[in-house]
Amino acid sequence: MKILGIETSCDETAAAVVEDGSKILSNVVVSQIDIFAEYGGVIPEVAARSHLEAMMPVVNKALKNAFCSWDEIDAIAVTHAPGLLGSLLIGTLTARTMAILHEKPLYATHHLKSHVYANWLNVDESEELVSERALEAARPSFTLSKTNSSDSPQFPLLAMVISGGHTQILYMRGHDQFEIIGTTHDDAVGECFDKVAKILGLTYPGGPSIAKEALRGNENKYKLPHPHVDGLDFSFSGLKTAVLRAVQKELGLPISHPSHDLKNHLTDEMRADFAASFQKTAIDILNEKIKLAIQEHPEIKSIVFAGGVSANQKLREEAERIFSKDYAVFFPEPKYSGDNGAMVAAAAFYEIQAGVKPTDPYKLNIYPRISIES
Ligand code: KG4
Ligand code: ZN
């Protein structure tokens, strides 16, 4: 079954064709990062306009790269929740129109489900990606993929969804069965990377910038506190403030000193040490919560990571080191950690397997803030 997956929930315009939930026939992502790097964050109206311009060329390229005509597409899947309102509208209106025009069944997927299902994508099977990987291999790369790339995650499992908008631990008994067992009380961990990067004067998005800067820093230089949050929940706004205070203290500046000016006073060494110390603390917090979740659910067979922050190499190494002796640990290939259309198609495939029926293309709505459990 070939599904065209469309994703526009934030600042990536993406479409992909995936066969049977795992074989990637094409994957096209147009990122707006360059636009938003200038502003230090996403501007929703600008994102929606950019999606509008990129959407149809991206869909057409995804079909062309997959050597597929519309006749060969069995279904269309699109992200309808959660995300930026204007961005979700462009993707869903496109998918609805295409579904009506080409008489295809339409499936609406939740963005976090799609992130989780990136772990079922079999990147090795993709021709296009095989050649890209050959290029990657030529560079000094740290790519570390699934514990065993030929296997799929086994249920029951814990899924750690860590993105720019969400930080949740999900318990999955089977396909398309999601229970939230931990969530953030305030900022998402990706948001925290982005805000700390801004304080340190690193470019948006903050995650990759901090990861790169941290490579030459001392992660034990600054001791940052772990927030006291009971159970499996998280809080990341306190960690961002802790970095802010630590930077002010290191520079001998008062807490009233404007945060946007601190970057002008940091030495290169301080910046790298703060990036490394912050990254280590954020990763430790995530892994500590997984340890707690395992205590509550010792029956799990796999641990899967998902969402933009799961591209973090240090997190991959640490999680593998801590958990892979006892559990199968899965990460999406780094380029599928962030937003893409392939994961949307994969999620829809497993929803269909679980008995989900197509949605009415004349009525499909968007839900910018809805939970994965609804
Ligand atoms: O999943 P995603 O692409 O979009 C959302 O659904 O939010 O996640 C984006 C987030 C951003 O906050 C970005 O800074 C973070 O993922 N991110 C990373 C890395 N790459 C992206 N965080 C830490 N380390 C990375 N290597
Ligand atoms: Zn995402």
Side-chain angles (χ1 to χ4, degrees), residues 75-363:
I76 300 173
V78 64
T79 310
H80 75 138
L84 300 173
L85 187 143
S87 295
L88 289 169
L89 269 178
I90 305 300
T92 50
L93 282 171
T94 305
R96 291 168 64 184
T97 310
M98 294 299 122
I100 293 165
L101 201 64
H102 299 286
E103 298 180 342
K104 304 290 175 190
L106 176 64
Y107 293 87
T109 62
H110 190 283
H111 187 62
L112 299 195
K113 280 190 192 180
S114 301
H115 270 306
V116 172
Y117 274 105
N119 285 285
W120 273 261
L121 291 170
N122 195 344
V123 176
D124 294 337
E125 287 182 30
S126 161
E127 288 291 322
E128 172 206 1
L129 293 154
V130 166
S131 57
E132 279 187 24
R133 284 179 115 209
L135 280 177
E136 265 171 30
R139 291 184 221 128
S141 160
F142 48 65
T143 302
L144 197 154
S145 63
K146 305 169 187 176
T147 303
N148 182 344
S149 64
S150 61
D151 290 341
S152 293
Q154 299 298 307
F155 300 109
L157 62 78
L158 292 176
M160 169 69 99
V161 183
I162 36 180
S163 69
H166 295 85
T167 302
Q168 292 191 334
I169 305 182
L170 307 171
Y171 182 77
M172 285 183 80
R173 252 170 257 283
H175 279 302
D176 203 33
Q177 294 176 45
F178 295 90
E179 183 191 339
I180 302 170
I181 58 171
T183 194
T184 181
H185 290 189
D186 39 57
D187 289 356
V189 60
E191 192 179 352
C192 191
F193 269 88
D194 294 338
K195 287 178 175 171
V196 168
K198 216 167 182 174
I199 295 170
L200 300 181
L202 300 169
T203 51
Y204 174 86
S209 309
I210 285 186
K212 189 166 169 230
E213 192 70 14
L215 288 174
R216 52 183 196 86
N218 173 3
E219 63 180 22
N220 298 312
K221 178 73 186 287
Y222 300 106
K223 294 272 168 285
L224 298 165
H226 286 215
H228 298 289
V229 188
D230 287 343
L232 302 179
D233 285 350
F234 301 89
S235 165
F236 279 100
S237 74
L239 179 57
K240 172 209 66 195
T241 309
V243 174
L244 178 63
R245 297 286 172 256
V247 172
Q248 288 164 331
K249 189 170 166 220
E250 180 73 11
L251 296 173
L253 294 166
I255 60 169
S256 55
H257 195 92
S259 60
H260 64 79
D261 178 59
L262 295 170
K263 60 179 182 287
N264 301 322
H265 300 264
L266 287 168
T267 63
D268 286 351
E269 189 183 346
M270 284 177 190
R271 187 174 288 113
D273 290 346
F274 271 115
S277 301
F278 160 72
Q279 177 178 256
K280 175 188 165 31
T281 310
I283 290 170
D284 286 349
I285 291 169
L286 295 174
N287 285 332
E288 287 305 319
K289 290 291 179 177
I290 296 180
K291 285 184 200 162
L292 267 184
I294 292 172
Q295 278 175 24
E296 289 185 16
H297 297 279
E299 73 283 5
I300 59 141
K301 296 201 173 83
S302 309
I303 301 170
V304 311
F305 287 81
V309 181
S310 73
N312 187 281
Q313 178 59 17
K314 181 83 184 160
L315 169 68
R316 288 170 179 244
E317 287 167 7
E318 280 297 292
E320 293 250 348
R321 185 181 62 75
I322 301 170
F323 304 113
S324 65
K325 284 189 290 302
D326 302 311
Y327 303 95
V329 181
F330 291 83
F331 285 92
E333 281 291 318
K335 73 179 279 185
Y336 292 97
S337 285
D339 294 347
N340 64 83
M343 67 186 194
V344 177
F349 176 81
Y350 287 101
E351 280 189 355
I352 295 167
Q353 301 294 302
V356 172
K357 298 284 171 244
T359 187
D360 183 343
Y362 289 96
K363 292 190 181 147

Side-chain angles (χ1 to χ4, degrees), residues 8 12-15 28-32 47-61 90 94:
T8 62
E12 256 99 28
T13 315
V28 181
V29 181
V30 170
S31 174
Q32 302 170 15
R49 268 169 203 265
S50 306
H51 283 310
L52 192 56
E53 278 174 23
M55 190 75 263
M56 279 321 291
V58 165
V59 167
N60 289 332
K61 189 156 188 241
I90 305 300
T94 305

